[in-house]
């Protein structure tokens, strides 16, 4: 097996069509699409009986450990369209000391900070850009809270596609810099991500760019789906009891839910599903409010604010899909305060030597809160998502000074 087998080998593909997630209406595959004719996200559908016939667990086990090993369940038809920066499988780490401290049970974290551009946004964008290359798209545009823009810039530049990116004014400097350095034209906008999204939408007709906003194109979700495929394979073709997912636009949560259904259809897992928990910040929790109100859509959250910038998404086009997955799974939606996020981040870093991003720390804070209120039991295996490396975020200054010219008091160490 060569390291690049998954990127170079032609493998049979099984996409049959795209389907409107609200009405079920069919749309043709292999054409440029944004939302469905009903204005809702499109989902890619596969001939899963066909996949079942050609793909075995053993065949998968012999492939290189990257996202492209799941090719039969992905939309890219030709190997030449794969745009790769090395999408390694991300490790699952146990957090036994942190769990013991809060009287928890088996606690795992999938560390997505190891992906290109340091976040799980690489999964969605590598797929969207590969499909854009296949379909001949020349200019892509996107609103972003930072990480998605960085991933788009990287992959689009790699593929020779032009990109224009809009982010909220207070997006962390590191994100704006990486986007610009990776070849995109990037703008800070005095508004939130949905205000940036409006500019992208308005420019579609005028500039002719392709809108890559969350769930407004069909392929980011297919890339994010690989989190579900990967974790099931890593857990020996089983799923955890509960998954805590930091939810902004919700692509990953919806994608994993789709992944589990596809894995069951091809006979790789059984009917068991994890309870899906949508984690949001108390300062921006539209899904939690809608979940608690028992409604299907989540109106815009006004004056959204949180230190976990990736989940500061006031309104999501896939709101009904997020809420549906959460409810069908028997999960729930939960909000955590910025204080709890900060405390969680420090606790895991100190206990485990593992520096989470604030959004990842939000899932740990949510686990802790759910244990305390009884919504999660110690007997359950829980899996958290650390969706970006903690090193991408501003860190608090921590230092002690030592004067080497003075006698050193060694009792202090
Ligand atoms: C670090 C981080 N976590 C979570 C999210 C939310 O992801 P999703 O859009 O899949 O809900 C984002 C999105 O920007 C992010 O950057």
């Amino acid at each position: 097996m060569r390291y690049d087998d998954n990127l170079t080998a032609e493998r049979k593909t099984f996409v049959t069509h795209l389907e409107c997630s609200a009405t079920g209406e069919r749309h043709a595959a292999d054409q440029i699409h944004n939302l469905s004719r009903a204005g809702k996200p499109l989902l890619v559908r596969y001939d899963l009986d066909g996949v079942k016939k050609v793909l075995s667990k053993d065949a998968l086990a012999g492939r290189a450990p990257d996202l492209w090993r799941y090719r039969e369940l992905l939309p890219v038809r030709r190997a030449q369209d794969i745009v790769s920066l090395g999408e390694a499988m991300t490790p699952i780490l146990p957090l036994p000391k942190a769990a013991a401290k809060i009287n928890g049970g088996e606690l795992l974290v999938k560390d997505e900070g190891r992906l290109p551009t340091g976040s799980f946004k690489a999964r969605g964008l590598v797929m969207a850009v590969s499909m854009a290359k296949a379909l001949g798209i020349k200019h892509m545009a996107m609103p972003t809270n930072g990480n998605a823009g960085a991933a788009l810039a990287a992959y689009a530049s790699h593929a020779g596609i032009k990109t224009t990116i809009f982010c909220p004014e207070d997006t962390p400097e590191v994100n704006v810099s990486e986007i610009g350095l990776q070849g995109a034209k990037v703008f800070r906008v005095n508004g939130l991500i949905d205000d940036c999204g409006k500019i992208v939408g308005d420019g579609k007709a005028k500039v002719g760019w392709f809108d890559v906003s969350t769930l407004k194109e069909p392929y980011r979700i297919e890339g994010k789906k690989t989190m579900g495929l990967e974790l099931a394979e890593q857990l020996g073709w089983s799923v955890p009891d509960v998954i805590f997912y930091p939810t902004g636009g919700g692509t990953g949560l919806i994608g994993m839910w789709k992944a589990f259904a596809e894995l069951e259809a091809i006979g790789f897992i059984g009917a068991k599903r994890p309870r899906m928990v949508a984690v949001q910040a108390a300062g921006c929790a539209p899904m939690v409010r809608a979940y608690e109100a028992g409604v299907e859509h989540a109106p815009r959250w006004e004056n959204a604010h949180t230190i976990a910038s990736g989940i500061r998404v006031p309104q999501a086009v896939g709101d009904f899909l997020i809420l549906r997955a959460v409810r069908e799974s028997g999960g729930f939606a939960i909000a955590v305060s910025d204080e709890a996020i900060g405390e969680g981040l420090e606790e895991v870093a100190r206990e485990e030597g593992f520096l989470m991003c604030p959004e990842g720390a939000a899932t740990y804070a949510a686990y802790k809160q759910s244990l305390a209120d009884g919504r999660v039991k110690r007997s359950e295996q829980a899996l958290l998502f650390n969706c970006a490396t903690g090193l991408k975020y501003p860190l608090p200054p921590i230092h002690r000074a030592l004067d080497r010219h003075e006698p050193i008091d060694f009792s202090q160490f």
Side-chain angles (χ1 to χ4, degrees):
M1 183 239 296
R2 262 177 63 107
Y3 76 96
D4 61 351
D5 275 355
N6 294 336
L7 311 177
T8 53
E10 294 300 344
R11 291 190 177 132
K12 203 163 153 47
T13 62
F14 293 88
V15 176
T16 52
H17 64 283
L18 278 65
E19 185 182 285
C20 173
S21 56
T23 66
E25 190 194 355
R26 286 174 79 104
H27 291 60
D30 307 306
Q31 290 179 10
I32 297 175
H33 292 291
N34 282 113
L35 291 171
S36 72
R37 282 183 279 274
K40 298 292 178 195
L42 280 169
L43 300 174
V44 180
R45 295 298 180 204
Y46 299 82
D47 165 17
L48 294 172
D49 288 337
V51 176
K52 191 173 183 172
K53 286 194 191 101
V54 302
L55 191 63
S56 68
K57 293 178 184 176
D58 283 350
L60 262 183
R63 292 183 182 174
D66 64 41
L67 168 158
W68 295 101
R69 67 203 267 112
Y70 305 111
R71 201 54 197 294
E72 288 83 350
L73 290 170
L74 296 175
V76 180
R77 303 268 196 204
R78 299 175 307 182
Q80 70 190 61
D81 294 322
I82 293 177
V83 181
S84 175
L85 291 168
E87 297 70 39
M89 282 176 96
T90 61
I92 292 179
L93 313 168
L95 298 177
K97 286 163 72 193
K101 211 170 154 60
I102 56 177
N103 205 20
E106 186 183 358
L107 183 60
L108 306 172
V109 59
K110 190 154 171 64
D111 184 18
E112 297 282 294
R114 322 284 179 111
L115 284 158
T117 69
S119 91
F120 68 173
K121 294 290 171 180
R123 292 185 188 270
L125 273 312
V126 74
M127 211 54 64
V129 172
S130 297
M131 287 306 291
K133 184 178 171 195
L135 296 168
I137 289 169
K138 301 279 183 269
H139 187 173
M140 302 171 90
M142 167 197 265
T144 181
N145 277 325
N147 288 323
L152 174 62
Y155 285 109
S157 293
H158 201 63
I161 296 174
K162 189 172 162 185
T163 40
T164 307
I165 294 177
F166 303 89
C167 43
E169 202 163 43
D170 57 353
T171 300
E173 193 60 48
V174 61
N175 293 124
V176 182
S177 300
E178 61 178 331
I179 294 170
L181 283 167
Q182 286 163 180
K185 197 178 262 187
V186 57
F187 297 87
R188 286 185 185 273
V189 177
N190 52 349
L192 295 179
I193 189 166
D194 50 351
D195 301 306
C196 298
K198 192 169 173 313
I199 299 172
V200 172
D202 290 347
K204 257 170 79 169
K206 296 194 179 75
V207 191
W209 56 40
F210 179 74
D211 184 349
V212 210
S213 305
T214 300
L215 292 175
K216 288 193 182 162
E217 67 75 56
Y219 302 112
R220 286 175 65 181
I221 190 170
E222 292 305 293
K224 281 278 198 88
K225 178 179 92 178
T226 60
M227 293 189 289
L229 305 176
E230 210 173 279
L231 74 87
E233 186 176 6
Q234 288 171 311
L235 295 175
W237 296 114
S238 71
V239 293
D241 297 313
V242 201
I243 289 180
F244 285 82
Y245 185 79
T247 307
T251 333
L253 192 147
I254 302 164
M256 282 192 279
W257 195 240
K258 185 171 186 285
F260 299 140
E262 291 176 358
L263 285 177
E264 186 181 3
I266 65 169
F268 278 29
I269 62 169
K272 178 187 165 184
R273 294 286 183 277
R275 294 200 288 139
M276 304 297 284
V277 179
V279 178
Q280 297 204 300
C284 181
M287 295 305 144
V288 182
R289 192 169 57 186
Y291 170 78
E292 286 172 357
V295 294
E296 219 202 337
H297 288 284
R300 186 173 199 267
W301 185 278
E302 300 302 331
N303 305 316
H305 61 91
T306 167
I307 54 166
S309 48
I311 50 174
R312 193 180 59 174
V313 179
Q315 192 159 27
V317 59
D319 53 359
F320 65 105
L321 297 172
I322 299 171
L323 291 161
R324 201 180 284 168
V326 165
R327 289 185 177 123
E328 275 176 25
S329 74
F332 53 93
I334 181 170
V336 290
S337 68
D338 277 8
E339 294 72 47
I341 294 174
E343 269 171 35
L345 197 151
E346 286 181 21
E347 205 163 290
V348 176
R350 200 174 47 239
E351 294 296 326
E352 303 280 0
F354 179 56
L355 188 65
M356 299 180 103
C357 64
E359 297 81 359
T363 65
Y364 173 75
Y367 173 68
K368 199 166 157 179
Q369 205 164 297
S370 313
L371 272 176
D373 69 20
R375 285 198 275 184
V376 169
K377 307 257 171 307
R378 284 195 65 193
S379 56
E380 291 182 291
Q381 183 190 55
L383 184 127
L384 313 178
F385 268 89
N386 184 52
C387 24
T389 167
L391 295 173
K392 285 187 89 167
Y393 294 76
L395 299 175
I398 296 174
H399 66 266
R400 296 186 180 90
L402 195 64
D403 185 345
R404 67 192 169 90
H405 300 297
E406 294 292 321
I408 295 175
D409 170 12
F410 284 97
S411 70
Q412 70 179 301
F413 300 114

